[in-house]
Structures are given as C-alpha cells and as structure tokens.
C-alpha cells in the first residue's frame, strides 16, 4: 500500500517539484504507517530522491516515452500504481502532470483533487485543503475512493530532507498500440535560462517597457537574481516576447517565492494566474494600477529609472 509519486525529470535531471512531492509523501507515509515509492520515466539518475524520503524508485523506460505524451505517461503511472497497490498517487501541479492527472484517475477508477496545499486531515475519507476560485479561497474536499490521485500546488509544502536509502527497480511498461491519438513531432526548448516552471523567482514585464528593445534590463535583473523572465499577455500577443513566457490565468500559472511585476497594470486574469506567489513586488508609474492592491511591496516610479538602480544595488550587495 505504498504511496506513489510521479517524479518528473527533464534532460536526465529530476525537477525540483519531484523533491517537494517526495517530502510531502514522506510526511503522509509516516502518518499512515506506510512507505513512499517514486516512478520516473526514462531517467536513471534517481539517487537524490532517497534524501527526501523515497524508499523505492521504479525506473520506467520505453522508446515510445522519449517525448512527453500524456496518454502514454498516464498509462505508465497507472501500471506502477497497480503494481505497488497504491492507495494514493501524488502528482505535481506542472503542465505535464495536470494533463496526466484526470486520465490517470479514470484509468484507476480513482478520485482526483488538484491544487492541494496541505497534508490530509483525514485518511478515510481523504480530506484535503485546496485552493479555489483562482486562488481567492480555500475549499476542503473529501475523496471516498479506495485509490485517489492528488496534485500538490507548487511551493505550497516545501522541501524536507530525510535520511535513508532507496532501492531501485527497472520497469518496462506495456503501452497500448492505439493508446494515444497525439503524435509529437518535435520539442523546442530554451537553453541557458532558468525556466518559469523551475524558478523560485520570476521577473515579469508588460507594455510599460514600451518595446522589445528595452528588455535587456529585465534580463539583466533576472540574471542577477537567478530568476526566470516572463511577460504579460499583451506583450506576447504583440510579439515582443515568446508566448512561452506569457504568465497569468490564460498563460502559465506562477507560484514562486518572489514575483516582480514591472510595467504591468494588473488585469484580473494576470493577477489570478500569479496570485499564489508568496511575495509580489510591483513597479509601475500609475499609483492606481490594480496590481498595487494585491502587492506585498509596491514602487511608484518609472521602470527605466527604478530597475537600473535596483540592479546596481543588488550587484553591490552580492559583491559584499
């Protein structure tokens, strides 16, 4: 009855969210008197999982899993869950896992709850606290199935190192020949940058930057902070920045430790998509900009004056 987590990886390296899932599952396993098993796909570099409480790692490999395909990946996790007789499967809140979750719950005949932000308050029924209404409220949900699938909101639990060792088992899944109707022809990846999905800090800018030629200071600030760069929807629609950098309710949701919004007025869809960030800093010339109402810190000023000074001060601080 081991708790199963899906430990995501990219380019042969486990993502940070895998360790947060392991930390979460370990706390639940200690309460329930069971163990934690992780399933990884086409990734053999798994030793670090043990340092966050994983007792067993199943390394699934298959030539048809080289590129992400939600149906195929859901099948693999399903087979691992049945193999381990898991009553709880824990996923992250990444785009990939949110594709997998509903399919997996159907395959397993399981309940499904997303946006979980705390440990279960009850095992049977499984009672969970979740965010709702674009992170404006919380809801307590109960799942009564014998097996349940949940996804943990990013940065809602944290990392908790543990001691111990994990056994490793190789696994070749059986994939249905007609399982997927999606053919992945290629994947384009940005290199040399911190991705929005893995970032603890995101520096985002909007039309207040006046044009793509002014993005140099945003990228420089992100480099100094070790952050990812992002943008508002109008910026990506105008072609100033790639759509892969568009964050908000209609783009990529952001739940970072620090979110810096520069020259973004704060449309409701944008705020809803970044509201889970723990600290929000806004820089805008308009003191009536909606973003100031939800900001933890606000600077009323011209970005072309404020940001260069901020970069200078940060560099001086880091040089000490």
């Amino acid at each position: 009855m081991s708790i199963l987590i899906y430990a995501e990886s990219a380019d042969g390296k486990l993502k940070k969210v895998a360790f947060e899932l392991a930390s979460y599952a370990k706390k639940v396993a200690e309460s329930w008197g069971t163990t934690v098993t992780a399933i990884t796909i086409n990734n053999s570099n798994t030793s670090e999982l043990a340092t966050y409480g994983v007792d067993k790692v199943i390394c699934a490999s298959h030539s048809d899993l080289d590129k992400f395909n939600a149906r195929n990946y859901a099948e693999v996790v399903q087979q691992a869950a049945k193999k381990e007789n898991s009553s709880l499967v824990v996923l992250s809140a990444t785009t990939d896992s949110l594709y997998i979750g509903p399919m997996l719950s159907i395959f397993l005949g399981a309940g499904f709850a997303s946006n979980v932000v705390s440990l279960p308050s009850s095992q049977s029924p499984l009672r969970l606290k979740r965010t709702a209404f674009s992170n404006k409220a919380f809801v307590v949900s109960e799942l009564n199935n014998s097996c349940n699938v949940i996804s943990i909101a990013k940065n809602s639990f944290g990392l908790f190192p543990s001691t111990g060792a994990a056994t490793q088992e190789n696994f070749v899944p059986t994939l249905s020949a007609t399982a997927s109707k999606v053919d992945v022809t290629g994947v384009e990846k940005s290199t040399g940058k911190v991705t929005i999905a893995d970032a603890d800090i995101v520096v985002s800018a909007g039309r207040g930057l006046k044009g793509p030629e002014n993005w140099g200071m945003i990228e420089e600030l992100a480099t100094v902070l070790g952050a990812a760069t992002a943008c508002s929807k109008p910026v990506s629609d105008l072609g100033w920045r790639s759509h892969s950098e568009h964050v908000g309710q209609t783009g990529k949701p952001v739940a970072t430790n620090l979110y810096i919004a520069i020259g973004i007025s704060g449309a409701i869809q944008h705020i809803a998509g970044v509201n889970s960030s723990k600290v929000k800093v806004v820089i805008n010339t308009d003191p009536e900009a909606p973003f100031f109402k939800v900001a933890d810190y606000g600077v009323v000023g011209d970005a072309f004056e404020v940001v260069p000074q901020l970069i200078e001060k940060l560099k001086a601080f880091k040089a000490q």
Side-chain angles (χ1 to χ4, degrees), residues 63-276:
S63 59
D64 289 340
L65 299 172
D66 289 338
K67 295 184 178 69
F68 176 77
N69 180 297
R71 179 71 183 244
N72 288 346
Y73 274 48
E75 274 203 352
V76 174
V77 180
Q78 171 210 20
Q79 290 173 34
K82 289 184 174 180
K83 182 175 178 296
E84 297 298 306
N85 192 27
S86 298
S87 60
L88 180 65
V89 181
V90 185
L91 308 176
S92 66
T94 64
T95 302
D96 287 359
S97 283
L98 289 177
Y99 272 125
I100 292 173
M103 290 184 185
L104 183 59
S105 66
I106 292 172
F107 292 163
L108 292 172
F112 177 62
S114 59
N115 300 322
V116 174
V117 294
S118 66
L119 295 169
S121 58
S122 168
Q123 181 177 0
S124 183
L126 186 65
R127 188 174 293 116
L128 302 156
K129 182 179 179 181
R130 308 163 54 220
T131 58
F133 303 114
S134 298
N135 303 311
K136 293 184 179 68
F138 293 106
V139 62
V140 176
S141 299
E142 289 187 357
L143 302 178
N144 293 287
N145 300 61
S146 57
C147 177
N148 294 296
V149 178
I150 65 175
S151 71
I152 309 301
K154 184 183 176 185
N155 286 329
S156 63
F157 189 72
L159 303 179
F160 296 91
S162 181
T163 57
T167 59
Q168 183 168 309
E169 176 184 319
N170 294 325
F171 173 56
V172 179
T174 302
L175 299 179
S176 172
T178 58
S180 178
K181 297 179 181 179
V182 177
D183 182 24
V184 181
T185 59
V187 177
E188 293 183 10
K189 296 182 179 180
S190 59
T191 58
K193 294 183 178 180
V194 179
T195 65
I196 293 172
D198 295 329
D200 286 325
I201 303 173
V202 168
V203 177
S204 186
R207 283 182 293 182
L209 267 288
K210 300 179 180 179
E213 67 277 5
N214 296 319
W215 233 262
M217 66 179 182
I218 303 301
E219 293 177 336
E220 185 177 3
L221 177 59
T223 300
V224 172
L225 291 171
T229 57
C231 67
S232 61
K233 185 177 186 298
V235 165
S236 62
D237 287 345
L238 287 167
W240 293 2
R241 301 296 287 182
S242 165
H243 281 284
S244 65
E245 291 192 5
H246 166 207
V247 296
Q249 192 174 36
T250 56
K252 293 182 178 178
V254 172
T256 55
N257 290 323
L258 174 61
Y259 181 78
I260 302 176
I262 302 169
I264 300 175
S265 61
I268 189 169
Q269 294 89 347
H270 186 89
I271 292 175
V274 304
N275 207 33
S276 290

